[in-house]
Amino acid sequence: MSKTRDIAVIVNGAACRAAVEPRLLLTDFLRHTLGLTGTHVGCEHGVCGACTVLVDGDSVRACLMFTVQADGRSVETVESLGRIGNMNALQESFHEHHALQCGFCTPGMLMTATDLIRKYPLATDDDIREGLSGNLCRCTGYEHIVRAIRAVVASKTGKTL
Ligand code: FES
Ligand code: FES
């Protein structure tokens, strides 16, 4: 019989308590236990960035983190940003600039970009590209993704980048 551990975590602003197996990955907890399937699973070994979420405000690979490591912490997933009909500025910008094709990388791109926009001035496109370098887009939509992020940064700073 497997032992479980009780955890308390804030997910997208809502308090959540659960009994989880110590080996349960955060991706599986979010997707299968909580039904937050916006967090995608690609490589499952920390390379592609599709599973990126924010934990206490920092972007992390949810496929490399055990759920028990999120105990007492705050997790933000792509579902926290907005929904169809009520998208936030970054999601709108991805839509406007055609920053997705198949969309598989998009949740991870959005969460990494959220982290970058909150923390850094992103003064140049190279800064944006460097910040996104841990997220892979198999459709190679990087130019449009950078353009979408640049537009959000520009609207915040009032500058054209
Ligand atoms: S699924 Fe986590 S980095 Fe690829
Ligand atoms: S839009 Fe297809 S993987 Fe990025």
Side-chain angles (χ1 to χ4, degrees):
M1 198 170 86
S2 60
K3 288 188 180 157
T4 59
R5 228 182 89 182
D6 293 331
I7 60 158
V9 57
I10 308 285
V11 180
N12 297 337
C16 168
R17 289 182 177 279
V20 299
E21 289 189 23
R23 66 177 180 169
L24 183 69
L25 292 171
L26 185 57
T27 42
D28 290 330
F29 177 69
L30 293 171
R31 290 178 55 83
H32 303 305
T33 307
L34 300 184
L36 296 172
T37 53
T39 299
H40 287 174
V41 176
C43 66
E44 294 188 86
H45 61 271
V47 173
C48 74
C51 64
T52 303
V53 299
L54 306 187
V55 176
D56 288 343
D58 294 323
S59 55
V60 303
R61 310 289 212 216
C63 74
L64 293 185
M65 187 166 170
F66 292 116
T67 308
V68 292
Q69 293 176 291
D71 187 22
R73 303 173 80 178
S74 173
V75 178
E76 293 167 77
T77 72
V78 70
E79 285 87 353
S80 69
L81 301 185
R83 301 274 179 164
I84 292 171
N86 186 29
M87 295 193 290
N88 78 2
L90 183 61
Q91 291 169 310
E92 290 281 6
S93 192
F94 266 58
H95 177 67
E96 279 168 27
H97 292 88
H98 311 291
L100 58 146
Q101 293 174 59
C102 77
F104 197 82
C105 70
T106 309
M109 290 286 184
L110 287 168
M111 297 316 288
T112 298
T114 298
D115 188 18
L116 294 173
I117 290 167
R118 284 180 186 169
K119 290 179 183 163
Y120 305 105
L122 302 175
T124 67
D125 283 359
D126 281 349
D127 291 340
I128 297 172
R129 288 196 183 96
E130 187 178 344
L132 286 180
S133 59
N135 289 71
L136 304 183
C137 175
R138 281 163 275 202
C139 302
T140 64
Y142 298 107
E143 193 54 43
H144 294 267
I145 292 167
V146 170
R147 231 176 269 165
I149 296 169
R150 179 206 303 149
V152 173
V153 174
S155 70
K156 280 176 58 155
T157 60
K159 290 182 201 157
T160 305
L161 296 179

